[in-house]
Amino acid sequence: MGLWLGKHPLILASQSSARKMLLANAGLEFKAVTADIDERGIQSASALSNPREIALLLAREKAKSVSAGTPGSYVIGADQTLALGNRLFNKPAGRAQALAQLRDLAGSSHELNSAVAVARDGQIVFEDVSIARMTMRELSDDKLSAYLDAAGDAVTTSVGAYQLEGLGIHLFERIEGDHFTILGLPLLPLLAFLRRERLVAV
Protein backbone atom coordinates (compact mmCIF):
# COMPACT_ATOMS: atom_id res chain seq x y z
CA MET A 1 0.00 0.00 0.00
CA GLY A 2 1.34 3.44 -0.91
CA LEU A 3 1.64 6.37 1.47
CA TRP A 4 -0.29 8.88 -0.66
CA LEU A 5 -3.79 9.58 0.72
CA GLY A 6 -4.97 12.26 -1.70
CA LYS A 7 -8.15 11.72 -3.72
CA HIS A 8 -6.33 12.77 -6.88
CA PRO A 9 -2.86 11.71 -8.06
CA LEU A 10 0.14 13.66 -6.78
CA ILE A 11 1.89 15.32 -9.72
CA LEU A 12 5.51 16.37 -10.10
CA ALA A 13 5.85 19.16 -12.68
CA SER A 14 9.30 17.96 -13.71
CA GLN A 15 11.10 15.17 -15.54
CA SER A 16 14.20 15.55 -13.34
CA SER A 17 15.53 12.09 -12.55
CA ALA A 18 16.85 13.30 -9.17
CA ARG A 19 13.49 14.78 -8.11
CA LYS A 20 11.62 11.70 -9.26
CA MET A 21 14.04 9.50 -7.31
CA LEU A 22 13.57 11.55 -4.12
CA LEU A 23 9.76 11.30 -4.24
CA ALA A 24 9.82 7.61 -5.13
CA ASN A 25 12.29 6.82 -2.34
CA ALA A 26 9.95 8.61 0.09
CA GLY A 27 7.24 6.13 -0.87
CA LEU A 28 5.02 8.63 -2.68
CA GLU A 29 3.11 7.55 -5.77
CA PHE A 30 3.08 10.34 -8.34
CA LYS A 31 2.91 11.21 -12.01
CA ALA A 32 5.66 13.27 -13.64
CA VAL A 33 4.44 15.89 -16.13
CA THR A 34 6.65 18.35 -17.99
CA ALA A 35 5.90 22.00 -17.25
CA ASP A 36 5.80 23.74 -20.62
CA ILE A 37 7.08 27.18 -19.64
CA ASP A 38 9.76 29.53 -20.98
CA GLU A 39 12.01 29.69 -17.91
CA ARG A 40 14.49 32.22 -19.25
CA GLY A 41 11.68 34.37 -20.65
CA ILE A 42 9.83 34.38 -17.33
CA GLN A 43 13.04 35.19 -15.47
CA SER A 44 13.87 38.04 -17.84
CA ALA A 45 10.36 39.53 -17.71
CA SER A 46 10.35 39.44 -13.91
CA ALA A 47 13.45 41.69 -13.65
CA LEU A 48 14.38 39.74 -10.50
CA SER A 49 18.06 39.41 -9.62
CA ASN A 50 17.91 37.63 -6.25
CA PRO A 51 18.72 33.92 -6.80
CA ARG A 52 16.29 32.81 -4.08
CA GLU A 53 13.42 34.83 -5.57
CA ILE A 54 14.14 33.57 -9.09
CA ALA A 55 14.11 29.92 -7.98
CA LEU A 56 10.82 30.45 -6.16
CA LEU A 57 9.23 32.27 -9.11
CA LEU A 58 10.10 29.44 -11.50
CA ALA A 59 8.92 26.75 -9.07
CA ARG A 60 5.59 28.58 -8.73
CA GLU A 61 5.18 28.97 -12.49
CA LYS A 62 5.91 25.29 -13.13
CA ALA A 63 3.39 24.19 -10.49
CA LYS A 64 0.68 26.58 -11.72
CA SER A 65 1.24 25.67 -15.38
CA VAL A 66 0.63 21.96 -14.81
CA SER A 67 -2.06 22.55 -12.16
CA ALA A 68 -4.19 24.45 -14.66
CA GLY A 69 -4.78 21.23 -16.58
CA THR A 70 -5.12 18.84 -13.63
CA PRO A 71 -8.04 20.00 -11.45
CA GLY A 72 -8.07 18.77 -7.87
CA SER A 73 -4.51 17.48 -7.91
CA TYR A 74 -1.64 18.73 -5.80
CA VAL A 75 1.16 19.70 -8.21
CA ILE A 76 4.77 20.06 -7.11
CA GLY A 77 6.95 22.58 -8.94
CA ALA A 78 10.65 22.89 -8.20
CA ASP A 79 13.58 24.94 -9.41
CA GLN A 80 17.17 25.54 -8.43
CA THR A 81 19.54 28.45 -8.98
CA LEU A 82 23.29 28.53 -8.55
CA ALA A 83 24.89 31.78 -7.44
CA LEU A 84 28.57 32.64 -7.13
CA GLY A 85 28.34 35.93 -5.29
CA ASN A 86 25.97 38.03 -7.40
CA ARG A 87 26.51 35.96 -10.56
CA LEU A 88 23.83 33.48 -11.62
CA PHE A 89 24.69 30.34 -13.57
CA ASN A 90 22.50 28.44 -16.06
CA LYS A 91 22.90 24.97 -17.52
CA PRO A 92 25.93 24.99 -19.84
CA ALA A 93 25.19 24.75 -23.56
CA GLY A 94 28.11 22.39 -24.22
CA ARG A 95 31.52 21.20 -23.08
CA ALA A 96 33.28 24.53 -23.64
CA GLN A 97 30.74 26.40 -21.54
CA ALA A 98 30.84 23.67 -18.88
CA LEU A 99 34.62 24.04 -18.66
CA ALA A 100 34.31 27.83 -18.35
CA GLN A 101 31.76 27.49 -15.54
CA LEU A 102 33.87 24.99 -13.65
CA ARG A 103 36.96 27.21 -13.96
CA ASP A 104 34.97 30.04 -12.35
CA LEU A 105 33.59 27.82 -9.56
CA ALA A 106 36.87 26.04 -8.73
CA GLY A 107 38.46 27.14 -5.46
CA SER A 108 35.35 29.10 -4.40
CA SER A 109 32.10 28.64 -2.49
CA HIS A 110 28.76 28.98 -4.23
CA GLU A 111 25.15 28.65 -3.14
CA LEU A 112 22.39 26.40 -4.44
CA ASN A 113 18.92 27.85 -3.88
CA SER A 114 16.34 25.07 -4.15
CA ALA A 115 12.70 26.11 -4.27
CA VAL A 116 9.54 24.03 -4.09
CA ALA A 117 5.97 25.23 -4.66
CA VAL A 118 2.73 23.27 -4.52
CA ALA A 119 -0.31 24.35 -6.52
CA ARG A 120 -3.89 23.13 -6.47
CA ASP A 121 -6.46 24.31 -9.00
CA GLY A 122 -4.01 26.92 -10.26
CA GLN A 123 -3.33 28.46 -6.82
CA ILE A 124 -0.11 28.19 -4.81
CA VAL A 125 -0.86 26.53 -1.46
CA PHE A 126 2.72 26.00 -0.21
CA GLU A 127 6.24 27.20 -1.00
CA ASP A 128 9.71 26.97 0.50
CA VAL A 129 13.32 27.73 -0.40
CA SER A 130 16.32 25.92 1.09
CA ILE A 131 19.98 26.84 0.58
CA ALA A 132 23.13 24.71 0.38
CA ARG A 133 26.66 26.13 0.36
CA MET A 134 29.14 24.27 -1.83
CA THR A 135 32.93 24.69 -1.77
CA MET A 136 34.76 23.39 -4.82
CA ARG A 137 38.38 22.27 -4.81
CA GLU A 138 41.15 24.12 -6.62
CA LEU A 139 41.19 22.31 -9.96
CA SER A 140 43.66 22.48 -12.85
CA ASP A 141 42.50 22.37 -16.46
CA ASP A 142 43.87 18.82 -16.66
CA LYS A 143 41.69 17.74 -13.73
CA LEU A 144 38.66 19.50 -15.16
CA SER A 145 39.21 17.90 -18.57
CA ALA A 146 39.47 14.46 -16.97
CA TYR A 147 36.19 15.08 -15.15
CA LEU A 148 34.45 16.33 -18.30
CA ASP A 149 35.70 13.30 -20.27
CA ALA A 150 34.33 10.93 -17.63
CA ALA A 151 31.01 12.74 -17.08
CA GLY A 152 30.19 13.20 -20.77
CA ASP A 153 26.97 14.88 -21.89
CA ALA A 154 25.52 14.73 -18.36
CA VAL A 155 27.37 17.98 -17.56
CA THR A 156 24.92 19.92 -19.73
CA THR A 157 21.86 18.72 -17.80
CA SER A 158 22.64 20.48 -14.50
CA VAL A 159 23.41 24.04 -13.54
CA GLY A 160 27.10 24.30 -12.62
CA ALA A 161 27.98 21.33 -14.88
CA TYR A 162 27.95 18.73 -12.11
CA GLN A 163 25.72 16.13 -10.47
CA LEU A 164 26.72 15.70 -6.88
CA GLU A 165 25.06 12.28 -6.73
CA GLY A 166 27.45 11.13 -9.47
CA LEU A 167 30.96 12.01 -10.62
CA GLY A 168 30.52 15.64 -9.57
CA ILE A 169 31.27 14.65 -5.97
CA HIS A 170 34.98 14.55 -6.92
CA LEU A 171 34.98 18.32 -7.47
CA PHE A 172 34.17 19.30 -3.88
CA GLU A 173 36.01 19.69 -0.61
CA ARG A 174 33.14 20.89 1.62
CA ILE A 175 29.33 20.88 1.52
CA GLU A 176 26.94 22.62 3.92
CA GLY A 177 23.29 21.73 3.44
CA ASP A 178 21.06 18.69 3.21
CA HIS A 179 21.12 16.12 0.44
CA PHE A 180 17.62 16.96 -0.79
CA THR A 181 18.36 20.67 -1.21
CA ILE A 182 21.47 19.83 -3.23
CA LEU A 183 19.49 17.51 -5.51
CA GLY A 184 16.92 20.24 -6.16
CA LEU A 185 13.91 19.42 -3.99
CA PRO A 186 13.53 20.61 -0.35
CA LEU A 187 11.92 17.33 0.66
CA LEU A 188 11.61 17.79 4.43
CA PRO A 189 9.53 21.02 4.24
CA LEU A 190 7.46 19.47 1.45
CA LEU A 191 6.68 16.35 3.49
CA ALA A 192 5.79 18.50 6.51
CA PHE A 193 3.24 20.35 4.36
CA LEU A 194 1.75 17.11 3.04
CA ARG A 195 1.40 15.79 6.60
CA ARG A 196 -0.36 18.99 7.70
CA GLU A 197 -2.81 18.49 4.84
CA ARG A 198 -3.29 14.81 5.87
CA LEU A 199 -2.11 13.68 2.46
CA VAL A 200 0.42 11.06 3.59
CA ALA A 201 -0.05 8.06 5.83
CA VAL A 202 2.97 8.57 8.12
Side-chain angles (χ1 to χ4, degrees):
M1 177 180 170
L3 299 179
W4 178 248
L5 300 178
K7 293 180 181 178
H8 300 275
L10 178 65
I11 297 174
L12 174 65
S14 172
Q15 292 295 340
S16 160
S17 58
R19 292 180 183 124
K20 289 191 284 188
M21 175 195 70
L22 291 176
L23 287 182
N25 287 350
L28 297 179
E29 297 175 1
F30 65 95
K31 295 194 303 184
V33 178
T34 301
D36 187 17
I37 65 169
D38 177 7
E39 294 185 38
R40 298 288 76 82
I42 290 169
Q43 180 180 337
S44 178
S46 74
L48 293 174
S49 59
N50 182 289
R52 179 185 183 279
E53 293 175 355
I54 292 168
L56 193 51
L57 169 67
L58 294 175
R60 287 184 194 128
E61 293 301 316
K62 290 175 183 178
K64 289 192 295 185
S65 171
V66 173
S67 177
T70 53
S73 288
Y74 286 84
V75 178
I76 300 166
D79 198 79
Q80 187 179 64
T81 58
L82 186 159
L84 178 63
N86 293 324
R87 180 182 169 194
L88 279 174
F89 284 64
N90 294 313
K91 293 177 184 177
R95 182 188 171 105
Q97 197 172 90
L99 176 59
Q101 286 191 6
L102 291 169
R103 280 175 175 155
D104 290 342
L105 294 172
S108 300
S109 295
H110 63 268
E111 289 186 342
L112 295 176
N113 298 266
S114 290
V116 61
V118 179
R120 188 168 186 239
D121 297 324
Q123 300 295 316
I124 299 298
V125 294
F126 170 76
E127 60 186 40
D128 185 84
V129 182
S130 298
I131 298 174
R133 187 169 179 82
M134 320 283 290
T135 302
M136 198 174 279
R137 298 163 46 209
E138 294 279 2
L139 293 158
S140 66
D141 276 4
D142 285 345
K143 295 290 186 185
L144 290 175
S145 292
Y147 161 72
L148 290 168
D149 288 344
D153 291 341
V155 299
T156 64
T157 64
S158 294
V159 65
Y162 63 82
Q163 287 91 29
L164 201 76
E165 68 274 23
L167 297 179
I169 191 63
H170 291 281
L171 304 175
F172 290 89
E173 66 180 32
R174 188 170 67 255
I175 295 167
E176 302 165 65
D178 69 54
H179 179 66
F180 313 114
T181 297
I182 293 163
L183 294 186
L185 183 66
L187 190 59
L188 294 177
L190 174 61
L191 292 177
F193 163 74
L194 297 178
R195 285 194 297 271
R196 289 196 299 272
E197 297 295 308
R198 301 177 187 268
L199 292 170
V200 289
V202 295

